[in-house]
Amino acid sequence: PTTLLIPNSLFGMGNPLLDISAVVDKDFLDKYTLKPNDQILAEDKHKALFEELVKKFKVEYHAGGATQNSIKIAQWMIQEPHKVGTFFGCIGKDKFGEILKHKAEEAHVDAHYYEQDEEPTGTCAACITGDNRWSLVANLAAANCYKKDKHLDLEENWKLVEKAKVCYIAGFFLTVSLESILKVAKHAAENNKLFCLNLSAPFICQFFKDNLMQVMPYVDVLFGNETEAAAFAKEQDFETNDVKEIAKKAQALPKVNTKRQRIVVLTQGKDDTVMIETFPVLKIDPKNIVDTNGAGDAFVGGFLSELVQEKPLDQCVKAAHYAANIIIRRAGCTFPEKPDFK
């Protein structure tokens, strides 16, 4: 039985995006100079990409955004009570925004969006090519308009942060509102709560490393995959490519809340997950893999679902592997009705 959880125990804040996914050809990737298995922010040259994707290929729409995905998966793993997961982010007053609201409700996540009409709801083009590679192009739009003073600081919203035991923010949000992240991170450190961050993408480690390193002293649990870990190690002059060594060095970085040692969790796709000790992943037959795009978000969601219940770390990793294993069999970050994780 689960430790009795109260609503809003798990807080997430990030970029709520509507994923527009399609299987594309190599010419399409080349035309927009997209690298496989990469995540980037849309620039002017990508504007036409979104239109062409919808016109030329068979697209599917899924509610997305890394942090929101992880909170949804955590809620799905927990099942009852509803609304253990809270999510904050910014959307537009439009059809896509309505879809995101509806999907969050369906997933029993307590989503409180800052709604504004300057910018439309953000989208993410997920361009999938054969052999299960994908390239993500995020057009943040409204997601980039999140404002601390307009939303996070409001009493009824901040109350929800105060209810949380565990806070999770994907590194992607470092490009949007550093001050919002720092407010939550400091609150967590002062109240001995768990603050979790994801490296999210190589470009975060490279081009937003000042923001990243302002938040790092508050990070209790750091997530990343091997590509992000390598980019992080390079930027931090760790002088190693060994994932275990990178984990140890990241763990040793300065930390504000000394009551807790930092936990670093680095995934390596089908290879073992490194968390200072190493955990084998569940094996999966490659022909059952439909879409690896949501796997990282699902991994975090599974991990958080046990962390918020104060379960031991090996159990957190087991749940993480279970969730990722389920998600890669399905298109988009979607899941069956109920988990059968023990």
Side-chain angles (χ1 to χ4, degrees):
T2 53
T3 321
L4 213 58
L5 277 173
I6 57 164
N8 310 110
S9 298
L10 173 63
F11 173 78
M13 179 167 63
N15 301 331
L17 305 174
L18 191 73
D19 286 347
I20 305 172
S21 57
V23 176
V24 302
D25 45 37
K26 193 175 177 305
D27 293 347
F28 184 82
L29 290 190
D30 294 343
K31 178 176 176 181
Y32 293 103
T33 57
L34 301 178
K35 294 198 290 250
N37 293 351
D38 198 20
Q39 301 109 315
I40 59 167
L41 291 177
E43 296 165 45
D44 285 342
K45 65 177 178 189
H46 299 112
K47 286 283 182 275
L49 175 151
F50 287 83
E51 287 155 30
E52 188 177 336
L53 191 67
V54 174
K55 271 207 203 89
K56 252 174 98 171
F57 303 96
K58 189 174 155 296
V59 298
E60 286 186 16
Y61 293 92
H62 294 283
T67 307
Q68 184 166 243
N69 283 344
S70 295
I71 298 296
K72 276 185 188 162
I73 298 281
Q75 180 64 54
W76 169 71
M77 291 283 289
I78 289 163
Q79 291 281 313
E80 301 278 331
H82 291 166
K83 298 190 171 180
V84 168
T86 316
F87 178 76
F88 288 2
C90 182
I91 59 175
K93 295 181 179 172
D94 50 26
K95 192 182 93 191
F96 285 176
E98 288 305 314
I99 295 174
L100 289 185
K101 283 200 271 193
H102 174 68
K103 289 291 179 191
E105 229 168 279
E106 246 177 28
H108 307 300
V109 167
D110 195 13
H112 293 256
Y113 297 112
Y114 168 46
E115 297 179 45
Q116 48 74 60
D117 41 25
E118 312 266 294
E119 286 281 344
T121 297
T123 49
C124 179
C127 311
I128 305 157
T129 51
D131 70 10
N132 232 314
R133 285 148 105 60
W134 38 264
S135 199
L136 302 181
V137 184
N139 179 28
L140 297 184
N144 200 31
C145 300
Y146 190 84
K147 301 278 184 288
K148 174 176 162 294
D149 55 335
K150 292 262 170 44
H151 193 264
L152 185 66
D153 291 343
L154 304 184
E155 193 187 348
E156 67 271 25
N157 292 333
W158 186 250
K159 268 203 186 104
L160 297 172
V161 180
E162 292 182 323
K163 280 178 80 174
K165 294 198 287 191
V166 176
C167 301
Y168 171 67
I169 298 175
F172 290 125
F173 201 58
L174 287 162
T175 75
V176 174
S177 181
L178 177 63
E179 52 172 8
S180 296
I181 300 175
L182 285 171
K183 181 173 182 177
V184 172
K186 286 173 178 167
H187 166 78
E190 283 157 16
N191 296 278
N192 197 29
K193 296 176 172 188
L194 281 161
F195 180 78
C196 315
L197 185 80
N198 203 317
L199 293 174
S200 290
F203 84 86
I204 296 290
C205 304
Q206 290 156 345
F207 307 117
F208 291 89
K209 74 169 169 193
D210 292 347
N211 288 10
L212 176 61
M213 296 321 284
Q214 279 190 58
V215 177
M216 195 59 73
Y218 300 98
V219 177
D220 296 300
V221 185
L222 180 68
F223 295 101
N225 65 24
E226 73 274 46
T227 325
E228 295 147 12
F232 182 68
K234 191 171 173 243
E235 292 299 326
Q236 299 301 318
D237 300 322
F238 282 174
E239 292 177 353
T240 179
N241 284 326
D242 181 293
V243 178
K244 282 186 187 164
E245 281 307 303
I246 295 171
K248 282 186 187 142
K249 292 195 169 194
Q251 188 184 35
L253 290 166
K255 193 165 184 304
V256 171
N257 178 4
T258 49
K259 291 195 192 89
R260 299 178 183 275
Q261 193 182 23
R262 180 177 295 120
I263 300 158
V264 180
V265 190
L266 301 175
T267 58
Q268 315 183 74
K270 63 186 190 312
D271 298 322
D272 290 353
T273 295
V274 171
M275 187 175 77
I276 320 301
E277 316 92 281
T278 313
F279 293 88
V281 301
L282 296 167
K283 294 285 175 271
I284 184 167
D285 182 338
K287 70 173 186 297
N288 289 334
I289 297 178
V290 177
D291 180 6
T292 55
N293 171 11
D297 298 339
F299 178 93
V300 173
F303 194 99
L304 295 172
S305 71
E306 296 290 295
L307 191 66
V308 76
Q309 297 175 64
E310 297 169 24
K311 296 282 173 70
L313 290 174
D314 60 339
Q315 186 70 2
C316 296
V317 175
K318 251 167 84 177
H321 288 152
Y322 169 82
N325 193 286
I326 294 289
I327 298 310
I328 56 180
R329 298 164 191 266
R330 306 168 67 93
C333 201
T334 58
F335 33 85
E337 193 191 343
K338 281 196 162 67
D340 60 359
F341 175 74
K342 297 289 176 284

